[in-house]
Amino acid sequence: MKIGIVCYPTFGGSGVVATELGMALADKGHEVHFITYNQPVRLDFISHHLHFHQVLLEEYPLFQYQPYELALSSKMVEVVEKYELEVLHVHYAIPHAYAAYMAKQMLKEKGLSVKVVTTLHGTDITLVGSHPTYKTAVEFSINNSDVVTSVSNDLKKTTNRLFNIKKDIKVIYNFIDVDKYDKAHQQKCNRIAIAKPHERILTHISNFRPVKRVDDVIKIFYKVHKDIPSKLLMIGEGPDRAKAENLVNRLKISDDVLFLGNSSEVTKVLCYTDIFLLPSQTESFGLAALEAMAAKTAVISTNTGGLPEVNIQGVTGYLSDLGDVEDMAKNAISILKDDETLETFKQNAREHTKRFSLENILPVYEEIYKSCYKSEVE
Ligand code: GMT
């Protein structure tokens, strides 16, 4: 099929899922066109079925804010028309689903048709989408998509609670290329560059926004570190990084906490990680946790949103109430206390990710694309 993918091109989970999906579809022979404002960070053009179309914005003195939706929907029309795309798969409702609806209407005027599949990722519903500023337009664009999917059962429930949704939302879990992490493990993990042989390694990866509660990450580590020789790796960039660094200095643990910034070598870091920390306020799914689990890492997280669908209590890690850093530290220590327990959790985590494998999830998306056209034939 010929599929357009619209996403945020950044390190955020929705952009990662969209990019990995597009690359996997292209590997299977579909023609995939990314439409976004920058080349997605994880996009590599190994397949000749992959294309990237940049949405450019025009400066004008009158604009305090540049009208991205307008430029995006115009670009969608141009690409659908030129390459005869059958489906526009938009990731993150704001403003992609709305722009896709507009593109569809403009194409209709030209006697052309395209189907719109919208995937809801989390904050487009929970934090931003349901805000009165955006709610009406988000609800409208969800209801006017041909198919709507969400990345967890919890997100589906939340969407139906917060909006008046008139169609069935299909749950399609985020996925992982399990083989990629196997290969990373076969290569030698350069653990010694980060920690001494007797030290454990804990890692947090996020965009350091308030929803990630990076202060809680530091507080959990502080408690673990008192009991167990360990290092904490903080990967990512964002508004709360300075606050987290200040806390590390105040707690006098700066020798053992490394802020590594954004990294496109996450698999290498996860390769030598023992525990992944994700104490988020909410997390529709927690792709970062799934990636960590695929790399044989136990997870300490909150029990919010879709996290219990990914991290299994007492099996792949532990889940605690929001803000209960005491419990999260206690659980981390119980996993790290001896090699045997740690290895059991690591193996379980790795095993559990098989249910989210690319091979299982990719055909579900392909079926969704085909189903957009089935109803017309019947
Ligand atoms: O929260 C982020 O780090 C980014 C955000 C995004 O949209 O890029 O992530 C959301 O989508 C991911 C992929 O589906 C999910 O794994 C994350 O849980 C979700 N984030 C939240 O719900 C806070």
Side-chain angles (χ1 to χ4, degrees):
M1 289 185 83
K2 295 181 176 194
I3 303 148
I5 293 193
V6 180
C7 63
Y8 284 103
T10 60
F11 285 96
S14 60
V16 169
V17 169
T19 311
E20 299 280 355
L21 175 63
M23 292 193 298
L25 287 164
D27 277 351
K28 272 190 100 173
H30 297 283
E31 185 178 313
V32 177
H33 294 256
F34 283 92
I35 307 170
T36 179
Y37 58 82
N38 269 331
Q39 181 178 323
V41 286
R42 288 229 187 151
L43 183 60
D44 66 46
F45 285 97
I46 288 170
S47 162
H48 68 281
H49 297 298
L50 281 175
H51 307 260
F52 164 56
H53 308 274
Q54 189 166 22
V55 181
L56 295 169
L57 292 173
E58 226 11 73
E59 294 275 351
Y60 188 67
L62 194 65
F63 297 154
Q64 188 179 358
Y65 308 105
Q66 296 193 9
Y68 179 65
E69 292 86 325
L70 242 60
L72 177 62
S73 52
S74 296
K75 187 53 110 184
M76 287 185 199
V77 170
E78 181 194 315
V79 177
V80 169
E81 205 174 351
K82 186 165 174 194
Y83 297 93
E84 299 173 344
L85 302 191
E86 297 154 277
V87 172
L88 280 171
H89 187 175
V90 302
H91 291 260
Y92 207 89
I94 306 172
H96 303 149
Y98 188 73
Y101 172 79
M102 291 312 297
K104 190 173 168 157
Q105 301 314 306
M106 289 185 265
L107 285 158
K108 212 188 248 172
E109 296 268 300
K110 292 168 177 265
L112 297 169
S113 116
V114 71
K115 301 293 180 186
V116 175
V117 176
T118 297
T119 293
L120 310 173
H121 278 274
T123 49
D124 48 350
I125 296 301
T126 53
L127 296 185
V128 199
S130 53
H131 191 276
T133 313
Y134 301 113
K135 191 175 173 191
T136 309
V138 172
E139 189 172 276
F140 174 85
S141 34
I142 293 175
N143 281 328
N144 283 284
S145 298
D146 292 288
V147 179
V148 181
T149 77
S150 86
V151 299
S152 65
N153 286 304
D154 184 78
L155 183 59
K156 173 178 175 169
K157 234 173 36 207
T158 307
T159 309
N160 282 321
R161 179 168 51 81
L162 296 174
F163 297 90
N164 180 14
I165 300 300
K166 299 194 179 108
K167 52 190 340 130
D168 182 40
I169 299 173
K170 297 181 184 357
V171 175
I172 306 180
Y173 280 139
N174 285 330
F175 58 87
I176 197 97
D177 181 354
V178 183
D179 292 346
K180 188 168 97 182
Y181 292 89
D182 267 346
K183 280 182 207 133
H185 261 277
Q186 279 150 19
Q187 287 153 13
K188 201 172 173 319
C189 286
N190 196 13
R191 197 178 203 282
I192 203 71
I194 298 291
K196 298 188 187 94
H198 69 288
E199 288 177 325
R200 304 291 198 196
I201 300 179
L202 294 86
T203 297
H204 171 75
I205 305 177
S206 78
N207 43 27
F208 288 54
R209 282 185 287 137
V211 69
K212 301 294 173 184
R213 299 190 52 119
V214 283
D215 269 17
D216 283 1
V217 174
I218 308 295
K219 288 177 194 162
I220 297 164
F221 176 72
Y222 178 67
K223 289 174 189 293
V224 173
H225 182 256
K226 275 187 179 166
D227 243 51
I228 293 187
S230 46
K231 289 275 192 292
L232 172 65
L233 308 182
M234 297 289 283
I235 313 239
E237 288 291 347
D240 282 354
R241 177 174 166 164
K243 211 171 95 183
E245 283 183 288
N246 284 340
L247 182 57
V248 165
N249 289 335
R250 280 208 311 278
L251 295 173
K252 299 190 174 36
I253 48 174
S254 51
D255 284 349
D256 292 317
V257 182
L258 284 78
F259 287 84
L260 301 176
N262 280 332
S263 169
S264 44
E265 300 203 292
V266 166
T267 41
K268 278 195 189 155
V269 175
L270 291 175
C271 178
Y272 41 67
T273 296
D274 296 309
I275 280 193
F276 187 77
L277 298 174
L278 196 60
S280 303
Q281 175 198 326
T282 178
E283 205 65 68
S284 70
F285 181 87
L287 182 68
L290 183 65
E291 293 193 321
M293 286 159 65
K296 270 186 77 182
T297 299
V299 175
I300 293 293
S301 71
T302 42
N303 51 20
T304 56
L307 281 170
E309 293 171 61
V310 178
N311 185 19
I312 308 302
Q313 176 77 353
V315 179
T316 61
Y318 288 103
L319 303 96
S320 307
D321 291 341
L322 177 64
D324 194 346
V325 290
E326 196 66 56
D327 195 53
M328 288 186 255
K330 188 190 86 207
N331 289 334
I333 292 167
S334 77
I335 295 175
L336 295 171
K337 66 178 191 307
D338 63 76
D339 290 348
E340 203 184 315
T341 310
L342 176 60
E343 191 52 29
T344 305
F345 274 89
K346 279 170 156 265
Q347 290 288 0
N348 291 348
R350 166 91 181 109
E351 196 53 34
H352 185 59
T353 56
K354 288 187 183 152
R355 96 164 265 227
F356 303 93
S357 74
L358 177 65
E359 296 82 68
N360 287 344
I361 308 287
L362 190 63
V364 184
Y365 275 116
E366 288 176 293
E367 209 35 63
I368 292 274
Y369 301 150
K370 280 192 229 146
S371 76
C372 293
Y373 284 92
K374 265 191 199 141
S375 48
E376 279 182 359
V377 177
E378 280 154 13

